[in-house]
Amino acid sequence: MKKTAFVTGGSRGIGRAIVRRLAAEGCAVGIDYLQAREQAEALAAELRVQGHEALAVRGDVSDRGAVTAAIRLVEAEFGPVEVLVNNAGIAEQRQFQDISQDFWRHIFGVNVDGAYHTIQAVLPHMLHEKRGCIVNISSIWGQRGASCETAYSASKAALIGLTRSLAMELAPSGIRVNCVAPGVIRTDMVEVLGEETLSDLARETPMGRLGTPEEIAAAVAFFAGEGASFVTGQVLTADGGFIL
Ligand code: NDP
């Protein structure tokens, strides 16, 4: 049976790989983006050429009305969302004493409130059908500390708390909530760190390399698939052994 999936931040990086993978698994996919309109639309066009169903929609996840409207557009096209992937996220290094209230709110607004908004937008239908799957993208920095990343790290830890609590609350309703915690993955987000730091991070990773967006998409596909039908409230760390 065809499912409708909605992936936030689907235009680039990990989100784009998740979109491609879920489409390959047979989902009709809503590709949410904020600024990268061309990339999101090119991705949707690429998938449609391959015979998949995909629609690019702009929706700032930190804006409840905007992201809810984006979800409704996708649902009007493909039917109610049954697979929600909260992937959109932002990171910026800053020393704790320099973090303004606006900066803190911005990080949490996207990384945490974003998931709160999208989940509440899709939940009524999932509860009615007693079926659905939610996957939140956290980070290894939500599992261990990260100097100069306190806001990001705290926001990613919040997603793990959200995942576990909501999984307990929704399990009796047949809705599964899980979380993927990626290690260092080669995307625009980490390019700002520079080649030297990225090489250091690869060396610090027991598997001796950085991860790929496709490797994170595979973890998401596991949670979204039938093979995970008895799995909920879990955090799957995909990090080449980084935090062992
Ligand atoms: P990128 O910076 O490459 O891409 C970020 C994506 O999020 C883009 O599609 C962007 O959309 C979207 N986005 C940002 N803000 C908003 C917003 N307010 N509303 C909607 N979409 C938004 O990041 P990655 O692909 O690397 O990261 C994806 C997720 O994985 C994030 O949650 C990140 O925290 C997490 N992660 C990444 C790791 C890594 O090493 N790369 C490690 C651990 C976790 P647009 O382009 O349209 O602006």
PDB file of all heavy atoms in Angstrom, residues 149-167:
ATOM      1  N   GLU A 149      28.546  23.987  21.502  1.00  0.00           N
ATOM      2  CA  GLU A 149      27.338  23.560  20.772  1.00  0.00           C
ATOM      3  C   GLU A 149      26.198  23.344  21.776  1.00  0.00           C
ATOM      4  O   GLU A 149      25.371  22.456  21.572  1.00  0.00           O
ATOM      5  CB  GLU A 149      27.585  22.235  20.037  1.00  0.00           C
ATOM      6  CG  GLU A 149      28.658  22.278  18.991  1.00  0.00           C
ATOM      7  CD  GLU A 149      28.101  22.315  17.569  1.00  0.00           C
ATOM      8  OE1 GLU A 149      26.966  22.813  17.380  1.00  0.00           O
ATOM      9  OE2 GLU A 149      28.824  21.857  16.677  1.00  0.00           O
ATOM     10  N   THR A 150      26.177  24.126  22.857  1.00  0.00           N
ATOM     11  CA  THR A 150      25.211  23.818  23.927  1.00  0.00           C
ATOM     12  C   THR A 150      23.765  23.912  23.453  1.00  0.00           C
ATOM     13  O   THR A 150      22.949  23.049  23.784  1.00  0.00           O
ATOM     14  CB  THR A 150      25.389  24.750  25.139  1.00  0.00           C
ATOM     15  OG1 THR A 150      25.530  26.082  24.654  1.00  0.00           O
ATOM     16  CG2 THR A 150      26.573  24.356  25.988  1.00  0.00           C
ATOM     17  N   ALA A 151      23.445  24.950  22.683  1.00  0.00           N
ATOM     18  CA  ALA A 151      22.051  25.109  22.244  1.00  0.00           C
ATOM     19  C   ALA A 151      21.669  23.953  21.318  1.00  0.00           C
ATOM     20  O   ALA A 151      20.610  23.335  21.472  1.00  0.00           O
ATOM     21  CB  ALA A 151      21.863  26.444  21.526  1.00  0.00           C
ATOM     22  N   TYR A 152      22.546  23.658  20.372  1.00  0.00           N
ATOM     23  CA  TYR A 152      22.285  22.558  19.426  1.00  0.00           C
ATOM     24  C   TYR A 152      22.176  21.231  20.171  1.00  0.00           C
ATOM     25  O   TYR A 152      21.226  20.469  19.980  1.00  0.00           O
ATOM     26  CB  TYR A 152      23.423  22.500  18.406  1.00  0.00           C
ATOM     27  CG  TYR A 152      23.274  21.406  17.378  1.00  0.00           C
ATOM     28  CD1 TYR A 152      22.337  21.513  16.357  1.00  0.00           C
ATOM     29  CD2 TYR A 152      24.075  20.267  17.420  1.00  0.00           C
ATOM     30  CE1 TYR A 152      22.198  20.507  15.404  1.00  0.00           C
ATOM     31  CE2 TYR A 152      23.951  19.265  16.462  1.00  0.00           C
ATOM     32  CZ  TYR A 152      23.013  19.390  15.459  1.00  0.00           C
ATOM     33  OH  TYR A 152      22.883  18.400  14.510  1.00  0.00           O
ATOM     34  N   SER A 153      23.159  20.972  21.029  1.00  0.00           N
ATOM     35  CA  SER A 153      23.198  19.725  21.767  1.00  0.00           C
ATOM     36  C   SER A 153      21.947  19.569  22.648  1.00  0.00           C
ATOM     37  O   SER A 153      21.321  18.497  22.676  1.00  0.00           O
ATOM     38  CB  SER A 153      24.471  19.707  22.626  1.00  0.00           C
ATOM     39  OG  SER A 153      24.558  18.531  23.359  1.00  0.00           O
ATOM     40  N   ALA A 154      21.567  20.651  23.335  1.00  0.00           N
ATOM     41  CA  ALA A 154      20.371  20.590  24.194  1.00  0.00           C
ATOM     42  C   ALA A 154      19.120  20.356  23.351  1.00  0.00           C
ATOM     43  O   ALA A 154      18.225  19.596  23.740  1.00  0.00           O
ATOM     44  CB  ALA A 154      20.241  21.884  24.997  1.00  0.00           C
ATOM     45  N   SER A 155      19.067  20.981  22.174  1.00  0.00           N
ATOM     46  CA  SER A 155      17.875  20.810  21.326  1.00  0.00           C
ATOM     47  C   SER A 155      17.796  19.376  20.800  1.00  0.00           C
ATOM     48  O   SER A 155      16.716  18.801  20.688  1.00  0.00           O
ATOM     49  CB  SER A 155      17.881  21.807  20.158  1.00  0.00           C
ATOM     50  OG  SER A 155      18.844  21.455  19.169  1.00  0.00           O
ATOM     51  N   LYS A 156      18.935  18.787  20.480  1.00  0.00           N
ATOM     52  CA  LYS A 156      18.939  17.418  19.968  1.00  0.00           C
ATOM     53  C   LYS A 156      18.653  16.412  21.078  1.00  0.00           C
ATOM     54  O   LYS A 156      18.052  15.364  20.834  1.00  0.00           O
ATOM     55  CB  LYS A 156      20.273  17.127  19.272  1.00  0.00           C
ATOM     56  CG  LYS A 156      20.444  17.909  17.973  1.00  0.00           C
ATOM     57  CD  LYS A 156      19.404  17.492  16.950  1.00  0.00           C
ATOM     58  CE  LYS A 156      19.488  18.249  15.647  1.00  0.00           C
ATOM     59  NZ  LYS A 156      18.501  17.785  14.658  1.00  0.00           N
ATOM     60  N   ALA A 157      19.078  16.731  22.315  1.00  0.00           N
ATOM     61  CA  ALA A 157      18.731  15.880  23.460  1.00  0.00           C
ATOM     62  C   ALA A 157      17.225  15.964  23.716  1.00  0.00           C
ATOM     63  O   ALA A 157      16.575  14.970  24.072  1.00  0.00           O
ATOM     64  CB  ALA A 157      19.507  16.315  24.698  1.00  0.00           C
ATOM     65  N   ALA A 158      16.658  17.150  23.505  1.00  0.00           N
ATOM     66  CA  ALA A 158      15.212  17.322  23.686  1.00  0.00           C
ATOM     67  C   ALA A 158      14.435  16.421  22.726  1.00  0.00           C
ATOM     68  O   ALA A 158      13.400  15.848  23.090  1.00  0.00           O
ATOM     69  CB  ALA A 158      14.825  18.784  23.463  1.00  0.00           C
ATOM     70  N   LEU A 159      14.953  16.264  21.515  1.00  0.00           N
ATOM     71  CA  LEU A 159      14.263  15.400  20.549  1.00  0.00           C
ATOM     72  C   LEU A 159      14.262  13.943  21.007  1.00  0.00           C
ATOM     73  O   LEU A 159      13.328  13.194  20.723  1.00  0.00           O
ATOM     74  CB  LEU A 159      14.934  15.500  19.171  1.00  0.00           C
ATOM     75  CG  LEU A 159      14.617  16.729  18.327  1.00  0.00           C
ATOM     76  CD1 LEU A 159      15.405  16.687  17.024  1.00  0.00           C
ATOM     77  CD2 LEU A 159      13.126  16.829  18.028  1.00  0.00           C
ATOM     78  N   ILE A 160      15.318  13.551  21.712  1.00  0.00           N
ATOM     79  CA  ILE A 160      15.362  12.175  22.222  1.00  0.00           C
ATOM     80  C   ILE A 160      14.315  12.009  23.330  1.00  0.00           C
ATOM     81  O   ILE A 160      13.581  11.015  23.371  1.00  0.00           O
ATOM     82  CB  ILE A 160      16.790  11.826  22.705  1.00  0.00           C
ATOM     83  CG1 ILE A 160      17.737  11.780  21.493  1.00  0.00           C
ATOM     84  CG2 ILE A 160      16.808  10.485  23.448  1.00  0.00           C
ATOM     85  CD1 ILE A 160      19.211  11.589  21.828  1.00  0.00           C
ATOM     86  N   GLY A 161      14.201  12.997  24.202  1.00  0.00           N
ATOM     87  CA  GLY A 161      13.172  12.958  25.250  1.00  0.00           C
ATOM     88  C   GLY A 161      11.776  12.933  24.654  1.00  0.00           C
ATOM     89  O   GLY A 161      10.897  12.191  25.098  1.00  0.00           O
ATOM     90  N   LEU A 162      11.585  13.762  23.627  1.00  0.00           N
ATOM     91  CA  LEU A 162      10.291  13.805  22.929  1.00  0.00           C
ATOM     92  C   LEU A 162       9.982  12.435  22.330  1.00  0.00           C
ATOM     93  O   LEU A 162       8.866  11.911  22.473  1.00  0.00           O
ATOM     94  CB  LEU A 162      10.346  14.867  21.823  1.00  0.00           C
ATOM     95  CG  LEU A 162       9.177  14.908  20.845  1.00  0.00           C
ATOM     96  CD1 LEU A 162       7.933  15.473  21.509  1.00  0.00           C
ATOM     97  CD2 LEU A 162       9.516  15.761  19.618  1.00  0.00           C
ATOM     98  N   THR A 163      10.972  11.848  21.680  1.00  0.00           N
ATOM     99  CA  THR A 163      10.787  10.539  21.028  1.00  0.00           C
ATOM    100  C   THR A 163      10.346   9.487  22.037  1.00  0.00           C
ATOM    101  O   THR A 163       9.353   8.777  21.824  1.00  0.00           O
ATOM    102  CB  THR A 163      12.113  10.083  20.364  1.00  0.00           C
ATOM    103  OG1 THR A 163      12.481  11.048  19.382  1.00  0.00           O
ATOM    104  CG2 THR A 163      11.970   8.715  19.726  1.00  0.00           C
ATOM    105  N   ARG A 164      11.077   9.396  23.139  1.00  0.00           N
ATOM    106  CA  ARG A 164      10.790   8.322  24.105  1.00  0.00           C
ATOM    107  C   ARG A 164       9.424   8.519  24.764  1.00  0.00           C
ATOM    108  O   ARG A 164       8.648   7.573  24.906  1.00  0.00           O
ATOM    109  CB  ARG A 164      11.893   8.266  25.160  1.00  0.00           C
ATOM    110  CG  ARG A 164      13.219   7.784  24.563  1.00  0.00           C
ATOM    111  CD  ARG A 164      14.248   7.534  25.652  1.00  0.00           C
ATOM    112  NE  ARG A 164      15.451   6.939  25.081  1.00  0.00           N
ATOM    113  CZ  ARG A 164      16.684   7.355  25.339  1.00  0.00           C
ATOM    114  NH1 ARG A 164      16.887   8.366  26.164  1.00  0.00           N
ATOM    115  NH2 ARG A 164      17.719   6.753  24.788  1.00  0.00           N
ATOM    116  N   SER A 165       9.126   9.756  25.178  1.00  0.00           N
ATOM    117  CA  SER A 165       7.860  10.001  25.871  1.00  0.00           C
ATOM    118  C   SER A 165       6.681   9.801  24.938  1.00  0.00           C
ATOM    119  O   SER A 165       5.676   9.174  25.293  1.00  0.00           O
ATOM    120  CB  SER A 165       7.839  11.420  26.441  1.00  0.00           C
ATOM    121  OG  SER A 165       8.912  11.577  27.340  1.00  0.00           O
ATOM    122  N   LEU A 166       6.808  10.345  23.724  1.00  0.00           N
ATOM    123  CA  LEU A 166       5.703  10.230  22.776  1.00  0.00           C
ATOM    124  C   LEU A 166       5.513   8.777  22.337  1.00  0.00           C
ATOM    125  O   LEU A 166       4.384   8.339  22.103  1.00  0.00           O
ATOM    126  CB  LEU A 166       5.992  11.133  21.568  1.00  0.00           C
ATOM    127  CG  LEU A 166       4.802  11.474  20.673  1.00  0.00           C
ATOM    128  CD1 LEU A 166       3.696  12.179  21.446  1.00  0.00           C
ATOM    129  CD2 LEU A 166       5.261  12.347  19.503  1.00  0.00           C
ATOM    130  N   ALA A 167       6.607   8.050  22.246  1.00  0.00           N
ATOM    131  CA  ALA A 167       6.502   6.631  21.876  1.00  0.00           C
ATOM    132  C   ALA A 167       5.661   5.886  22.906  1.00  0.00           C
ATOM    133  O   ALA A 167       4.799   5.066  22.554  1.00  0.00           O
ATOM    134  CB  ALA A 167       7.891   6.002  21.765  1.00  0.00           C
TER     135      ALA A 167
END
